[in-house]
Amino acid sequence: MPPSTFSSVTLNINGEKHVLSVDPRTTLLDALRERLDLTGTKKGCDQGQCGACTVLVDGRRTLSCLQLAVAAEDREITTVEGLAERERLHPVQQAFLDLDGLQCGYCTPGQICSAVAVIEEHAAGWPSAVTDDVRPEAGPPPLTPREIRERMSGNLCRCGAYVSIVEAVARAAAESPGGAGVPEDVTTAGAAEEAAA
């Protein structure tokens, strides 16, 4: 009898443990969608370019199409299905809903997972490629539309709903504990930035 090429892997997803026997080449995305029926995470380009498959692994954004399931063993994985608390949507989900940051919705799960991490990264003081002052003592920069666009640039919306998405991220950030520095009127601030560009 030839040796089995399958591996046993334990995945901690949305607070629940799942033990799977998988081909070691199975991506986290395929394990989520095909093996566990967690279809909220979308398969877009399957090449790590569109961000539709973004999930959180130990709180960090991860492209699940590029992550092997076996490499995610015993790490905390959060998909879009795991963000809400019972009937209460996550503030980012609620902001996307309220501000129509959805369009066709295919990119939305990845956008929402990225936005959750973006807000936490910003609150922790992580600079982006467009942050003017990256000195640690400068603290988090204002979460302007420019900052949000740069931080969300790994997620593509084929419907072009970026304005609503930027507004939704800004609102959710303003309502989070680390939300200081968000412009009161993000739409006005965004228009001013675009006019100056």
Side-chain angles (χ1 to χ4, degrees):
M1 179 179 212
S4 171
T5 58
F6 278 59
S7 300
S8 178
V9 61
T10 301
L11 299 176
N12 299 324
I13 305 168
N14 302 330
E16 293 184 25
K17 286 193 175 193
H18 301 268
V19 180
L20 299 175
S21 178
V22 297
D23 183 310
R25 298 167 292 184
T26 302
T27 65
L28 177 58
L29 174 60
D30 286 339
L32 292 170
R33 289 183 57 83
E34 307 301 329
R35 300 294 305 280
L36 298 170
D37 204 27
L38 291 167
T39 56
T41 304
K42 304 302 184 202
K43 181 178 277 192
C45 66
D46 209 20
Q47 299 176 358
Q49 297 179 0
C50 74
C53 66
T54 303
V55 298
L56 304 176
V57 176
D58 293 338
R60 308 279 289 273
R61 292 182 274 176
T62 299
L63 297 171
S64 61
C65 73
L66 299 182
Q67 170 88 59
L68 293 175
V70 293
E73 183 163 34
D74 293 328
R75 300 176 73 184
E76 294 299 324
I77 301 162
T78 304
T79 68
V80 71
E81 293 97 338
L83 293 175
E85 291 183 19
R86 298 179 185 268
E87 299 301 316
R88 194 179 78 184
L89 293 177
H90 186 281
V92 172
Q93 292 173 309
Q94 190 63 57
F96 268 66
L97 184 63
D98 292 346
L99 298 171
D100 196 23
L102 310 168
Q103 297 293 320
C104 81
Y106 197 80
C107 71
T108 303
Q111 296 269 5
I112 288 174
C113 285
S114 280
V116 169
V118 159
I119 292 168
E120 292 177 5
E121 291 164 8
H122 175 262
W126 294 13
S128 78
V130 299
T131 301
D132 292 327
D133 189 348
V134 296
R135 294 174 300 135
E137 60 270 23
L143 194 56
T144 63
R146 183 172 177 239
E147 280 282 348
I148 293 171
R149 286 191 181 99
E150 171 59 25
R151 292 170 188 263
M152 294 289 294
S153 63
N155 293 77
L156 301 178
C157 174
R158 292 166 179 81
C159 303
Y162 296 117
V163 173
S164 297
I165 291 170
V166 169
E167 289 180 45
V169 174
R171 179 200 278 183
E175 294 172 356
S176 73
V182 177
E184 290 181 13
D185 184 345
V186 71
T187 304
T188 303
E193 281 184 7
E194 289 171 5

